[in-house]
Amino acid sequence: MSILEYNGAAIIAMTGKECVAIASDTRLGAQAQTVSCDFRKVFKIDDKLFVGLAGLATDVTTLENTLKFRRSLYELREERSMTPKVFSNVLSNLLYEKRFGPYFIEPIVAGLDDTNKPFLSGMDLIGAPVYTDDFVVSGTATANMYGMCETLYQKDMEPEELFETISQALLASVDRDALSGWGAEVHIITKEGVTSRQLKGRMD
Amino acid sequence: MARRYDSSTTTFSPEGRLHQVEYAIEAINNAGTCVGILAKNGVVMACEKKVTSSLLAPTKTSEKTYKLCDHAACTVAGLTADANILIDQARLRAGRYQYQYVEPIPMEQLVEHVCNYKQAYTQYGGLRPFGVSFLFAGYDTHYGFQLYQSDPSGNYSGWKATVVGANNQAGKSLLKTEYGVTSNKEETKEEMKTNDMKGDDVVEMPDLEGALELAVKVLNKTMDATATSSDKMELFSLTLDDKGECVHKILTADETQKVIDKVEAKAAAAATES
């Protein structure tokens, strides 16, 4: 058993036309046993910056607090918001600092930069980043999610279509994975604001 | 005679004084004045801006007012360079508390931390004290809105209204007469001769506009300038919005001018009456 698969998670982020979407399941398990169906894994860092943390639940909570602290200090000192690219680098640096005793997290950063251009990045547990302009996935059902995204994704989708696409991709992926599912939530980030929705899926 | 005992912070004088600390407090009496006033629904801080050259190209919003965390801010009187160190300390402390307890730091704890840091420079290390006095304004769920003052010795206290910096005595005396309203004035006048005044005065806190006007009035008194203008003063307010979150606001030049105009109008009206 891999420690990254202990609690279970499934997170996808996708870009659209001047928007990004980030979606996750909400299961918290202890291996086979499901403990909670409303465990949050995607966090708002700023109005147009979200981070999704897949992996060991205790590290999810710790990193959430650490990232909020780092962002708060940056904003107080620099008197401006952290751009998604900078935030992604902060996160990467944070993870590499623990190179020989890492956080068991494979995060995803999704946001809009100051010109409202979509930004996506994904990372492994020691901070190696990947920047794409289509989609990133993380968690215990990555094989399923890659398949679904590759098939369903199209460039420049409008927010409503993006919502449908990311939701279908997530739901179909987690249904074939024992460790993820049990509820899902989606956040669509546009320059006007964020729309967050709960998905109704199979609770098994 | 004090000469022998005033160059080191870590030595008491024969009279039991720490001269270096006292000299540090003196340094602040030449700095731009800061007024802090507690209102019913917020805290107001007003500062005299000493550096107003048109050649200035500032990168930070203010040289006097600093945000410490979501629910606290401070104004500086004294050496700005020293203040920067302490402000960073305060920000780190607030962030670490939030990280550890997942709760906002209570105001007094934040103030006490900064003050303990200042105190260390009056007792150890042979380093000089920080030449800064702060006015801390903040909100917490334990005691609501609060105002604190701290000085280079590391001493702090909570206030309903106070002044630091140049001419603070004049400012404080004005606040004593003008801040709040003592209720039951007529009854207490006779009682004063026979009963103990056990603090039966009810001090009524002003509302936000009243506090802003009072702050401007105090600054008018402490600033030597003959005409007060909005570019020489900076008004700050901390209030709660309807979601219960703190709003930090530095008033714009127009808004500041409006308050100044109101104060001048009231002063003119009072002058014509008497």
Side-chain angles (χ1 to χ4, degrees):
Chain A
M1 185 216 70
S2 161
I3 188 70
L4 283 168
E5 287 162 21
Y6 183 76
N7 293 125
I11 308 186
I12 305 180
M14 271 188 194
T15 56
K17 196 168 167 69
E18 291 181 336
C19 59
V20 281
I22 182 163
S24 78
D25 73 324
T26 51
R27 177 181 181 271
L28 173 72
Q31 292 187 289
Q33 153 124 78
T34 300
V35 172
S36 165
C37 347
D38 54 12
F39 184 71
R40 192 152 276 188
K41 300 165 202 178
V42 173
F43 305 100
K44 178 181 146 176
I45 300 294
D46 198 357
D47 289 335
K48 295 183 196 158
L49 177 56
F50 277 66
V51 68
L53 303 169
L56 198 61
T58 179
D59 289 346
V60 169
T61 310
T62 300
L63 268 192
E64 175 203 352
N65 290 328
T66 310
L67 290 171
K68 283 182 171 162
F69 183 9
R70 295 292 294 264
R71 174 248 168 170
S72 165
L73 227 51
Y74 182 97
E75 279 207 1
L76 284 170
R77 286 174 173 152
E78 310 223 359
E79 294 191 2
R80 61 192 175 115
S81 321
M82 234 200 267
T83 59
K85 188 157 187 288
V86 169
F87 180 79
S88 180
N89 287 330
V90 167
L91 178 50
S92 170
N93 194 242
L94 221 153
L95 293 173
Y96 195 82
E97 268 180 359
K98 302 264 185 227
R99 171 65 176 79
F100 301 109
Y103 287 114
F104 296 111
I105 296 282
E106 292 187 323
I108 285 179
V109 177
L112 299 173
D113 69 14
D114 355 298
T115 58
N116 289 319
K117 183 160 163 275
F119 175 89
L120 279 187
S121 80
M123 249 164 269
D124 70 3
L125 76 173
I126 44 175
V130 68
Y131 305 106
T132 64
D133 54 6
D134 44 22
F135 52 85
V136 274
V137 301
S138 184
T140 50
T142 47
N144 309 358
M145 291 188 282
Y146 274 126
M148 289 304 302
C149 289
E150 203 63 62
T151 313
L152 298 181
Y153 181 79
Q154 288 166 329
K155 265 178 85 75
D156 290 334
M157 284 183 278
E158 294 291 332
E160 295 75 34
E161 206 195 338
L162 183 63
F163 168 72
E164 288 299 327
T165 308
I166 198 176
S167 305
Q168 292 295 350
L170 183 66
L171 254 26
S173 305
V174 303
D175 284 349
R176 280 280 189 182
D177 177 26
L179 301 174
S180 48
W182 283 91
E185 57 179 29
V186 187
H187 307 272
I188 313 286
I189 307 154
T190 63
K191 57 180 191 282
E192 280 84 46
V194 182
T195 320
S196 302
R197 297 183 183 96
Q198 301 278 335
L199 295 182
K200 193 168 153 201
R202 288 181 68 102
M203 300 295 274
D204 62 358
Chain B
M1 189 172 93
R3 279 280 180 81
R4 268 185 244 159
Y5 304 100
D6 65 3
S7 41
S8 166
T9 41
T10 54
T11 339
F12 276 110
S13 78
E15 300 90 53
R17 292 156 69 171
L18 291 170
H19 286 289
Q20 274 299 302
V21 178
E22 291 183 18
Y23 298 158
I25 296 173
E26 258 313 294
I28 291 153
N29 288 334
N30 297 325
T33 318
C34 293
V35 188
I37 298 180
L38 204 57
K40 257 186 278 200
N41 48 351
V43 191
V44 156
M45 291 195 287
C47 313
E48 172 194 354
K49 284 201 277 192
K50 277 219 157 159
V51 200
T52 49
S53 163
S54 57
L55 290 174
L56 263 183
T59 44
K60 292 245 150 65
T61 18
S62 169
E63 58 157 51
K64 296 290 267 182
T65 311
Y66 296 88
K67 182 173 169 183
L68 299 177
C69 59
D70 284 339
H71 61 284
C74 68
T75 49
V76 172
L79 278 54
T80 313
D82 286 8
N84 286 339
I85 308 289
L86 293 168
I87 287 163
D88 206 49
Q89 273 296 309
R91 287 172 171 167
L92 281 168
R93 178 74 189 112
R96 285 176 186 144
Y97 186 100
Q98 169 77 36
Y99 178 79
Q100 188 173 17
Y101 299 100
V102 194
E103 247 195 26
I105 186 169
M107 272 317 288
E108 188 168 347
Q109 293 214 21
L110 180 58
V111 174
E112 190 161 326
H113 175 83
V114 176
C115 288
N116 286 347
Y117 193 85
K118 283 201 227 187
Q119 187 276 343
Y121 287 74
T122 68
Q123 197 176 11
Y124 320 108
L127 302 168
R128 68 162 177 83
F130 288 93
V132 194
S133 278
F134 286 107
L135 289 182
F136 294 96
Y139 175 85
D140 63 38
T141 49
H142 312 282
Y143 293 101
F145 286 105
Q146 295 151 71
L147 174 69
Y148 293 90
Q149 174 188 340
S150 78
D151 64 24
S153 65
N155 193 29
Y156 73 89
S157 40
W159 294 88
K160 295 193 181 97
T162 187
V163 191
V164 289
N167 289 328
N168 59 68
Q169 319 88 313
K172 279 184 187 161
S173 62
L174 181 62
L175 283 174
K176 256 206 201 126
T177 52
E178 301 252 346
Y179 180 84
V181 170
T182 43
S183 68
N184 305 322
K185 261 195 176 144
E186 289 84 57
E187 292 112 74
T188 51
K189 264 204 168 137
E190 290 111 57
E191 287 173 44
M192 251 165 86
K193 295 169 190 171
T194 50
N195 289 355
D196 285 334
M197 286 300 284
K198 279 185 192 162
D200 284 348
D201 290 326
V202 173
V203 177
E204 201 185 290
M205 284 203 260
D207 63 4
L208 211 70
E209 285 78 53
L212 282 167
E213 286 169 27
L214 181 55
V216 170
K217 217 171 158 181
V218 171
L219 273 187
N220 283 344
K221 188 152 188 218
T222 59
M223 280 161 71
D224 349 275
T226 42
T228 44
S229 56
S230 62
D231 58 313
K232 289 226 160 212
M233 52 171 83
E234 184 174 279
L235 296 177
F236 168 86
S237 71
L238 184 74
T239 48
L240 283 184
D241 67 10
D242 3 285
K243 286 188 210 147
E245 280 165 35
C246 284
V247 179
H248 298 242
K249 186 176 163 69
I250 295 183
L251 272 64
T252 61
D254 285 340
E255 290 167 330
T256 311
Q257 192 58 50
K258 281 207 185 95
V259 182
I260 295 175
D261 293 340
K262 251 196 238 171
V263 174
E264 274 172 16
K266 282 190 181 169
T272 52
E273 267 176 37
S274 56

